[in-house]
Amino acid sequence: MKQSIQSLLAVSTLSTLLASCGGDKKAPEAVTNDDVILHAWSWSFDTIAANMKNIADAGFDYVQTSPANTCYVGEGGGMALYSQPGDSVTGKWYYYYQPIDWKIGNYLLGDRDQFKAMCDSAAKYGVKVIVDVLPNHTAVDHTAVTADLDSAVGGHDKLFHANGLNDIIDYNDRYQCTTGKMGGLPDVNTENPDFQYYYMKYVNDLIACGARGFRYDTAKHIGLPSDPLDSLAERNNFWDIATGREPIRDITLSMPDSLFIYGEVLQDKNVKEDEYAEYMSLTASAYGHALRNALVNHNYYADSLASWHHKADPTKLVTWVESHDTYANQHESAGISDELIREGYVFLTARQNGVPLFFSRPAGSTRDNYWGNNRVGARGNDEFMNPEVVAVNKFRHAMHGQPESIFVSDNGAVIEVARGNKGVALINIGEEQASIDLPTTLKDGEYVDKVHDTTFKVKDGKISGVLTPLTSYIIY
């Protein structure tokens, strides 16, 4: 079958010139992102700690926890991921997204001592902990916030924006978006210096316990300096304080230069992605949507994957096939098979840029039963330890400094991500066996992949071999 090149990306101009001139100078390294994140969604701190060796052995650099803050106790403290009226077990996963105080520990995941023990375990195995933080809002029942919090911010009425109890009607109106109530969650006055001081004590306590990064939930709902001011705010300076550019009184963010910070800035018509990117890395939500389109159609060409669909530089993007929201909230991705999700993750992780996140689905989940064993605190399924996931994580580390080239079969079913002439990932997202004869940057010779012991031949700039359906092959 005739094959074609889809795109050739990120090859150094200087390197090309040196090669064409026969120069013997060492070509400069390409700028690469080398880290990968496991999102241990709804795992307890104890569960993450108990699985830290597995996480490290699987090649993950970071493990991301669910929110550690004190939260609203819903449905009598039930520990189900999701329950319906009349179920024998009650609970909802999203109660940890409803803060009632900014202190470490909640009934769903564990207390401060358990959080610290988890971080100590991470340090032992060389894994870094990212904590999901959410200063934007409180619990739907804002009367449940603690007396300590109310007192710290100058009284309950000072906790929220003047507009903070009004629903957002137009999410593309930046005043509404950054000061209004989202999904029933009252909007915190993040510009109140008393709140900033209290919140930064929480963040620095997380760091003191061993956290080494943060994911900012609903980041696009927290105002930038250029955004309209709420009447109770003097200036929109939250991000300057949260990222360590400014102190708040006698507190400054600890270890600002060694933390990995990214924000959930979901893309829409009027989102200031470039301005948010001045402060932190950002979620590539539009790219995840495009990738899922390609996967479910078993065709790379079903959507535009050559562009990152984002204003920010790709080195500042956190990429995913799915997130906890697309799986557990909107169910947009929940019907996609584990195999397809895995092949999409291999594609993202083999690439030169972006920081890929692997979302851990619930243990026992199926495409008919999204909740699986339906327990908050339990480990997710075994997919994070799948040999293809492990192999591509290690491939990514080994490909430091290597530019990418992407080649795709004419029918879009087979994708090759080549990294310099050091290695390739071959990914069959199709449902049929594929025989390939694709262009490649590998040198001539025979290669055996790291996962399935399958042999591929390279001759005259073409790689040939046979790929089984929904399978990846890692060569280096």
Side-chain angles (χ1 to χ4, degrees):
M1 179 176 65
K2 181 182 177 182
Q3 312 291 335
S4 65
I5 299 176
Q6 164 65 11
S7 58
L8 181 60
L9 304 175
V11 178
S12 166
T13 301
L14 180 56
S15 177
T16 304
L17 289 172
L18 286 172
S20 65
C21 297
D24 57 2
K25 294 182 180 179
K26 184 179 179 181
E29 290 189 337
V31 176
T32 57
N33 296 100
D34 304 329
D35 292 335
V36 283
I37 304 167
L38 172 65
H39 184 186
W41 180 70
S42 289
W43 301 18
S44 71
F45 304 143
D46 285 349
T47 298
I48 295 173
N51 285 275
M52 201 64 73
K53 185 178 187 301
N54 290 331
I55 294 167
D57 288 348
F60 289 98
D61 304 278
Y62 288 94
V63 59
Q64 179 177 307
T65 76
S66 295
N69 50 266
T70 310
C71 69
Y72 182 77
V73 179
E75 301 179 39
M79 296 293 287
L81 285 168
Y82 192 84
S83 65
Q84 300 281 12
D87 287 354
S88 58
V89 179
T90 63
K92 297 284 191 301
W93 63 271
Y94 52 67
Y95 286 121
Y96 48 58
Y97 280 101
Q98 297 195 27
I100 59 171
D101 204 341
W102 277 272
K103 295 176 183 174
I104 302 175
N106 59 58
Y107 75 100
L108 288 163
L109 304 181
D111 61 24
R112 186 180 186 279
D113 289 341
Q114 291 167 309
F115 178 83
K116 187 177 186 310
M118 175 194 66
C119 292
D120 290 344
S121 178
K124 175 183 175 182
Y125 288 103
V127 176
K128 290 169 279 190
V129 174
I130 294 173
V131 182
D132 202 345
V133 290
L134 43 149
N136 176 67
H137 54 262
T138 66
V140 171
D141 179 6
H142 61 85
T143 65
V145 302
T146 67
D148 284 351
L149 177 57
D150 277 343
S151 176
V153 301
H156 192 73
D157 59 328
K158 298 293 193 300
L159 181 57
F160 305 103
H161 283 126
N163 189 47
L165 301 183
N166 296 320
D167 291 325
I168 300 172
I169 305 302
D170 180 0
Y171 279 79
N172 287 303
D173 180 309
R174 287 299 291 170
Y175 175 71
Q176 292 187 40
C177 183
T178 59
T179 66
K181 185 169 63 172
M182 178 205 66
L185 299 163
D187 201 74
V188 168
N189 182 3
T190 43
E191 291 70 54
N192 177 349
D194 291 328
F195 172 78
Q196 293 172 344
Y197 188 78
Y198 192 77
Y199 172 75
M200 290 308 296
K201 286 196 293 184
Y202 167 67
V203 167
N204 280 352
D205 194 26
L206 290 168
I207 295 169
C209 288
R212 292 298 177 263
F214 301 102
R215 177 227 184 231
Y216 271 87
D217 181 69
T218 57
K220 80 172 185 180
H221 294 281
I222 300 177
L224 293 158
S226 64
D227 279 322
L229 278 173
D230 184 82
S231 63
L232 293 180
E234 293 185 6
R235 65 190 185 102
N236 289 328
N237 65 340
F238 176 83
W239 292 117
D240 289 286
I241 290 166
T243 57
R245 295 187 181 190
E246 291 182 14
I248 177 64
R249 299 174 189 153
D250 60 340
I251 292 180
T252 304
L253 176 70
S254 298
M255 305 173 59
D257 296 332
S258 59
L259 299 172
F260 180 71
I261 300 176
Y262 78 99
E264 182 202 22
V265 180
L266 300 181
Q267 295 167 268
D268 208 337
K269 297 176 183 177
N270 190 27
V271 180
K272 302 178 180 181
E273 297 159 1
D274 44 358
E275 191 173 348
Y276 279 108
E278 294 176 13
Y279 290 97
M280 57 194 153
S281 295
L282 305 177
T283 51
S285 56
Y287 196 77
H289 185 270
L291 179 55
R292 291 191 297 277
N293 280 344
L295 292 172
V296 297
N297 286 285
H298 306 286
N299 184 351
Y300 178 94
Y301 303 114
D303 212 315
S304 174
L305 297 181
S307 162
W308 287 104
H309 301 271
H310 209 288
K311 295 177 183 177
D313 188 276
T315 60
K316 300 203 70 174
L317 298 179
V318 171
T319 58
W320 63 55
V321 186
E322 63 179 349
S323 69
H324 73 273
D325 282 324
T326 67
Y327 184 88
N329 195 4
Q330 304 166 12
H331 299 312
E332 177 189 349
S333 64
I336 302 175
S337 71
D338 287 345
E339 292 81 6
L340 269 177
I341 293 291
R342 183 171 67 243
E343 302 320 314
Y345 176 78
V346 171
F347 170 68
L348 287 177
T349 306
R351 296 199 63 182
Q352 173 182 339
N353 292 130
V355 179
L357 177 145
F358 186 91
F359 168 72
S360 174
R361 289 177 162 184
S365 59
T366 67
R367 308 297 49 88
D368 298 316
N369 172 20
Y370 302 154
W371 306 112
N373 295 345
N374 200 23
R375 290 295 181 273
V376 173
R379 194 183 85 176
N381 68 18
D382 292 339
E383 279 294 299
F384 77 99
M385 298 185 292
N386 184 282
E388 291 183 2
V389 172
V390 176
V392 77
N393 285 347
K394 294 180 178 180
F395 173 85
R396 185 175 183 84
H397 298 143
M399 294 300 111
H400 171 77
Q402 297 299 316
E404 71 176 18
S405 306
I406 297 178
F407 307 98
V408 184
S409 62
D410 279 349
N411 67 357
V414 177
I415 309 166
E416 175 191 355
V417 181
R419 297 293 298 274
N421 60 6
K422 301 296 185 182
V424 301
L426 294 167
I427 308 149
N428 185 3
I429 63 173
E431 296 181 294
E432 298 180 357
Q433 179 176 288
S435 297
I436 62 163
D437 186 30
L438 281 169
T440 190
T441 56
L442 288 178
K443 298 175 183 178
D444 285 3
E446 285 195 354
Y447 297 85
V448 179
D449 93 286
K450 300 286 187 180
V451 187
H452 307 288
D453 292 326
T454 301
T455 299
F456 294 88
K457 294 182 180 180
V458 176
K459 184 177 181 181
D460 298 330
K462 295 287 189 73
I463 186 169
S464 60
V466 178
L467 288 73
T468 57
L470 301 178
T471 305
S472 296
Y473 303 82
I474 308 299
I475 298 170
Y476 66 103

